[in-house]
Amino acid sequence: MIIEQIYNYLDTIAPFKNQDKFDNSGLIVGDYNAEAKKVLVCLDVTRKVVAEAIEKEIDLIISHHPLIFLPISKITTNDPLYALVQNNINLIAAHTNLDVAVGGISDLMLAKLGFPKSETVLLPINSDGTGYGRVVVLDTPISAEHLAEKCKAAFDCTAVRYVDSGKALSKIGVSSGSAKESVEIALNAGCDAFICGEVSHDRMVFAANYGLTLIEAGHFHTENIFCANLVDRLSLQFRELKIEISANSTDVCSYVL
């Protein structure tokens, strides 16, 4: 098994060509022709994740968030990149290409919430109609408090912050991670509520002013759900590989509640 075979499979389920223009998904560190026997999956590539990979003699890390977004001017020993290169560990990031994919993170969010599947994309960005988020219509309306509680349970959230419009909610928009630009889009799409990972304070005020229930369930929590799903899919496709979720794929933040 070589890295290119795994890359090509990822490309079939979440084409890298569909990543957003700002993104840096794909093979970030390594060699397409390198051998792969052990794979570690994580949301973020932290020093703890890399240390775990070294200890377990991992050949490939697959992360959601790219370790490199912007041009870099130096790589020091504190940088996980330094350890990856030093220890010949390959890194593939499947970021916005997975966010917008059919069966990607937005669809996982709906499944975790126990909501019906939806083909309605909130924010299309590609010519094939793929894009960020989904919109679903519930048969039975739900309150903002109940919806927030469902999010906390579904995504194993530490805390959920929300704006309550005071209305019964039937048309729900979902999008993982940072979704500031999608709040107004959800409102204009006729959504009663919008669930996302994180938004700025001004978007919370906007939602309150315009009668939109807005639920912030956590960037980490709405996206970490991809790990188990990807391990399952890779394990079915590559039975000879040892694939696991990093024990250190955890929220870097602590909370006072």
Side-chain angles (χ1 to χ4, degrees):
M1 182 64 57
I2 61 173
I3 300 299
E4 186 175 28
Q5 291 173 277
I6 301 171
Y7 175 92
N8 288 341
Y9 173 69
L10 292 171
D11 196 45
T12 65
I13 64 174
F16 289 103
K17 68 178 183 180
N18 284 345
Q19 66 182 288
D20 213 329
K21 56 185 179 295
F22 68 82
D23 200 11
N24 189 35
S25 291
L27 182 66
I28 292 178
V29 176
D31 178 359
Y32 284 110
N33 295 311
E35 186 178 13
K37 294 181 180 179
K38 296 181 180 180
V39 178
L40 198 64
V41 176
C42 64
L43 187 72
D44 297 291
V45 183
T46 63
R47 290 168 59 187
K48 288 183 178 179
V49 168
V50 176
E52 177 186 352
I54 294 169
E55 181 182 351
K56 293 179 176 178
E57 298 182 331
I58 296 294
D59 304 300
L60 170 65
I61 295 174
I62 302 175
S63 68
H64 184 51
H65 293 140
L67 190 53
I68 302 175
F69 263 123
L70 302 173
I72 55 177
S73 58
K74 60 183 178 180
I75 301 175
T76 64
T77 54
N78 280 346
D79 196 318
L81 276 171
Y82 184 96
L84 289 175
V85 174
Q86 188 179 49
N87 291 275
N88 297 314
I89 299 173
N90 301 273
L91 170 63
I92 294 175
H95 188 213
T96 57
N97 59 309
L98 189 62
D99 287 336
V100 304
V102 175
I105 295 184
S106 293
D107 291 318
L108 291 178
M109 289 179 70
L110 292 181
K112 286 283 188 180
L113 288 164
F115 290 166
K117 292 182 179 180
S118 173
E119 296 181 358
T120 305
V121 176
L122 181 66
L123 176 57
I125 64 167
N126 296 310
S127 58
D128 62 359
T130 55
Y132 296 109
R134 295 288 186 269
V135 178
V136 65
V137 178
L138 306 181
D139 292 333
T140 304
I142 188 172
S143 70
E145 183 179 7
H146 188 191
L147 185 57
E149 289 171 347
K150 283 180 70 70
C151 288
K152 191 174 190 300
F155 309 131
D156 193 24
C157 300
T158 304
V160 173
R161 189 170 68 134
Y162 70 102
V163 169
D164 186 350
S165 67
K167 299 181 294 187
L169 314 172
S170 296
K171 191 172 185 179
I172 315 293
V174 302
S175 188
S176 67
S178 180
K180 178 179 179 178
E181 71 283 353
S182 297
V183 175
E184 191 166 352
I185 292 170
L187 178 69
N188 292 336
C191 291
D192 303 313
F194 180 52
I195 302 165
C196 63
E198 63 172 313
V199 289
S200 54
H201 177 72
D202 68 293
R203 294 297 83 190
M204 287 288 189
V205 174
F206 173 88
N209 286 336
Y210 283 86
L212 175 71
T213 289
L214 179 57
I215 297 178
E216 183 186 68
H219 195 131
F220 172 84
H221 298 88
T222 57
E223 295 194 330
N224 195 52
I225 58 175
F226 107 98
C227 292
N229 178 263
L230 186 60
V231 167
D232 288 344
R233 295 169 84 166
L234 288 170
S235 297
L236 287 173
Q237 183 69 19
F238 302 109
R239 296 185 183 276
E240 64 272 42
L241 285 177
K242 181 178 180 181
I243 308 165
E244 61 182 299
I245 300 173
S246 169
N248 291 287
S249 187
T250 54
D251 192 353
V252 299
C253 298
S254 299
Y255 302 83
V256 176
L257 300 177

